[in-house]
């Protein structure tokens, strides 16, 4: 499986609670923080839910 890097680029302030919990489940707590995950369907679904708050790139 391929890996992806997810970086939080916008604040979670004034977002719905479900989006805040999704960011927390991805392991993101601060702006600028980067986490690496396997590109599973569950992770990709979580990323698409908060796509306006994060940036995604393929890990090498």
């Amino acid at each position: 499986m391929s890996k992806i890097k997810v970086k939080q680029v916008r604040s979670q302030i004034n977002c719905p609670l479900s989006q805040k919990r999704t960011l927390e489940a991805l392991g993101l707590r601060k702006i600028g923080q980067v986490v690496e995950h396997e590109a599973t369907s569950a992770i990709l679904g979580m990323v698409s839910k908060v796509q306006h708050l994060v940036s995604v790139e393929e890990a090498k």
Side-chain angles (χ1 to χ4, degrees):
M1 277 216 138
S2 62
K3 289 192 173 250
I4 57 172
K5 287 185 181 180
V6 183
K7 179 179 182 179
Q8 185 175 349
V9 294
R10 294 194 60 203
S11 174
Q12 62 182 345
I13 294 174
N14 206 22
C15 287
L17 184 60
S18 62
Q19 291 177 3
K20 291 179 184 180
R21 294 242 170 106
T22 302
L23 284 174
E24 187 177 328
L26 285 169
L28 296 170
R29 300 188 182 278
K30 299 179 184 178
I31 295 176
Q33 185 177 6
V34 178
V35 292
E36 196 169 305
H37 288 287
E38 293 285 334
T40 63
S41 60
I43 295 295
L44 294 176
M46 290 174 15
V47 168
S48 69
K49 187 172 182 178
V50 293
Q51 66 186 357
H52 58 289
L53 302 175
V54 300
S55 68
V56 181
E57 63 182 45
E58 207 170 315
K60 297 180 180 168

